[in-house]
Amino acid sequence: MPLSENRTAPPCFDAKKRKAALRVHLPIAPRSNLRLRFGSPRPTTATTAVLPGEALAWLDNMIDCGEPVGMVGITGPGDPLATPAITLETLRLVRKKHPGLLLCLTTNGLLFGNGNGSTPASAETLDSFATELKALRLSHVTLLMDAVRPEVAEKLYSWIRPGLKTMPLIRAAALLMQAQQEMLQALVRAGITVKVNTTVYFGLNADHVEEIACTAAKLGASIMNILPGGYLPEDTGNLFDDDLDGHALPCPPGKKLLGTIRSCASRHLPVMSPFDECGDTNLRKPHGPNAPDSSLLPRPSAERPNVAVCSASGMKIDLHLGQAPRFLIYGRNEGLPVLLGARTAPTPGNGDSRWENVAKLLHDCFALLAADAGKNPRKALAAKGIKVILTDSDAGIDPAVDTLYGGGEKTGGGKKRT
């Protein structure tokens, strides 16, 4: 949809309106379907996902406190299309409760048609999904496109997992390119404005951005945002060997190069002016003096001072709650989170009684961190005073536990963008 035809163009598209509009990001996506090798700008720092109802309650609280919320974005910590049912549920709840708010969605566009991730979603499935987004009156969708050719994408990602099936990176990259372009077309067919976000990595895709702009324009995108990406020298201490995998470490592109790239891209699409922020906040950073002093994150108490973690590696929160053979138990020692020990999980099966046994086992825990979990166990444990918090499977244990103990906004593991 051309911007001239959109009477309610999003405020973040306009340089003057951008900072005046408070945009709230709701991190309800628990699962990632790809991982970037390198860092990139991302306005939300959430490392854990919340349930749709929890996100709505927090949004209600912000609005009740007088915050001038103008737009709600569905984004992070994973990708909203990796769990589309959760995304649609959240959008429905927000639209029903707050019919006047602008809604948007940020995604890499990877929506697949079956459980093992070997088949892209059909045109009918994509059209149905886009039509529902249109019925929910989305302001726009931001599509994260850093490449339109698989050989370029292969340099940018550590892994791409279209579904539950692992496949060679070059094949997965080709499927990602196909899925993104088909999603863009479906959104445009439904009458939804599409903004393309492209992150520039010097030496990897900097000379590819004009091709991305040209392709996106032909498919019907309305506008493009070009962002600098890469690691600054002080970031390199956080790299693991598999982040590089034989590729050179990219530095952020300079202003002159970015200016040239923007100029070339603008031959095909309107390009947003550079900006540092869009007046955004998220579940962990309430905006203004009257907003809630924290998100819905639980806090320790004298009766429940500890945190349980589902982890196979001992480094990352990488297990589904139902698959965890044991729980790592973390507490505090002299103000710092420490590993206290491990407890064997109850035997799988036995229905709801299993979660009652888990609650007894974790009687001294106020939170349980997992890569994923079903709604029933989450509700059952919440009723016993244990909040299950979902994280990206690349999230590091230490920063996540530290955040629960009030240690600040630290991120670990996978790189996420909005």
Side-chain angles (χ1 to χ4, degrees):
M1 178 189 296
L3 291 180
S4 59
E5 296 177 11
N6 187 354
R7 298 179 181 178
T8 57
C12 53
F13 288 10
D14 186 289
K16 294 181 180 179
K17 297 179 181 178
R18 189 178 297 146
K19 290 187 178 181
L22 177 59
R23 171 171 164 163
V24 175
H25 294 126
L26 301 182
I28 51 80
R31 188 180 305 159
S32 291
N33 47 24
L34 57 77
R35 178 182 174 183
L36 281 161
R37 296 182 189 276
F38 316 110
S40 63
R42 49 194 182 276
T44 182
T45 55
T47 58
T48 58
V50 299
L51 288 169
E54 294 171 333
L56 179 65
W58 185 86
L59 177 63
D60 290 345
N61 199 359
M62 280 197 74
I63 292 174
D64 289 344
C65 287
E67 292 300 302
V69 178
M71 176 171 284
V72 173
I74 305 300
T75 177
D79 191 274
L81 295 196
T83 50
I86 293 175
T87 296
L88 290 173
E89 180 184 354
T90 306
L91 288 168
R92 292 187 198 108
L93 288 173
V94 175
R95 174 55 71 219
K96 182 177 181 180
K97 187 71 178 290
H98 303 286
L101 285 181
L102 294 175
L103 299 179
C104 65
L105 172 69
T106 299
T107 176
N108 58 46
L110 189 54
L111 180 68
F112 266 62
N114 62 20
N116 63 14
S118 60
T119 305
S122 66
E124 292 78 11
T125 298
L126 292 174
D127 284 338
S128 176
F129 182 77
T131 298
E132 183 150 14
L133 294 181
K134 179 65 175 179
L136 290 164
R137 306 199 312 279
L138 252 68
S139 163
H140 67 284
V141 170
T142 295
L143 188 60
L144 305 173
M145 293 181 67
D146 295 335
V148 290
R149 283 189 275 122
E151 61 269 25
V152 178
E154 189 181 13
K155 301 174 185 177
L156 303 177
Y157 301 103
S158 294
W159 52 261
I160 302 169
R161 193 168 297 130
L164 301 179
K165 183 178 180 180
T166 300
M167 61 180 65
L169 181 58
I170 189 63
R171 182 185 168 203
L175 289 174
L176 173 64
M177 304 296 93
Q178 176 186 350
Q180 289 184 327
Q181 295 181 34
E182 291 178 350
M183 175 59 73
L184 200 165
Q185 290 177 299
L187 293 169
V188 172
R189 284 196 298 268
I192 296 174
T193 298
V194 178
K195 172 169 71 77
V196 170
N197 268 23
T198 297
T199 302
V200 181
Y201 298 94
F202 181 73
L204 297 178
N205 71 341
D207 59 355
H208 183 56
V209 176
E210 185 175 3
E211 185 178 349
I212 298 172
C214 180
T215 301
K218 290 179 179 178
L219 296 174
S222 294
I223 193 168
M224 189 174 194
N225 188 21
I226 297 175
L227 305 164
Y231 276 111
L232 296 171
E234 58 266 26
D235 295 326
T236 58
N238 296 323
L239 282 174
F240 294 97
D241 290 340
D242 65 348
D243 286 321
L244 297 178
D245 193 24
H247 295 289
L249 178 66
C251 294
K255 290 184 178 180
K256 184 176 180 180
L257 176 59
L258 274 178
T260 300
I261 291 171
R262 291 177 188 278
S263 178
C264 292
S266 67
R267 299 169 185 168
H268 310 278
L269 277 175
V271 176
M272 292 176 62
S273 59
F275 66 95
D276 296 323
E277 58 182 319
C278 59
D280 59 271
T281 186
N282 58 61
L283 285 185
R284 284 217 179 69
K285 289 187 177 179
H287 190 86
N290 298 320
D293 60 359
S294 73
S295 70
L296 297 165
L297 292 178
R299 294 301 180 204
S301 65
E303 296 78 17
R304 295 181 177 274
N306 300 328
V307 177
V309 179
C310 299
S311 175
S313 65
M315 299 294 292
K316 297 179 179 180
I317 305 163
D318 52 13
L319 279 181
H320 189 292
L321 171 58
Q323 299 172 339
R326 61 175 185 167
F327 301 109
L328 302 182
I329 307 301
Y330 281 77
R332 274 192 296 189
N333 183 12
E334 296 182 355
L336 298 175
V338 295
L339 177 63
L340 301 178
R343 298 175 190 173
T344 302
T347 304
N350 301 321
D352 292 341
S353 63
R354 180 187 182 192
W355 307 118
E356 293 180 7
N357 291 333
V358 169
K360 292 177 182 177
L361 179 70
L362 305 179
H363 62 92
D364 56 349
C365 296
F366 68 92
L368 189 156
L369 296 170
D372 203 353
K375 286 187 177 180
N376 287 340
R378 293 176 72 180
K379 291 179 179 178
L381 292 175
K384 299 294 185 179
I386 304 170
K387 183 174 177 62
V388 178
I389 301 173
L390 304 186
T391 78
D392 186 288
S393 60
D394 279 323
I397 293 175
D398 289 347
V401 172
D402 193 29
T403 296
L404 288 176
Y405 284 121
E409 297 299 327
K410 298 180 181 180
T411 59
K415 283 66 173 183
K416 309 171 190 67
R417 301 182 304 164
T418 59

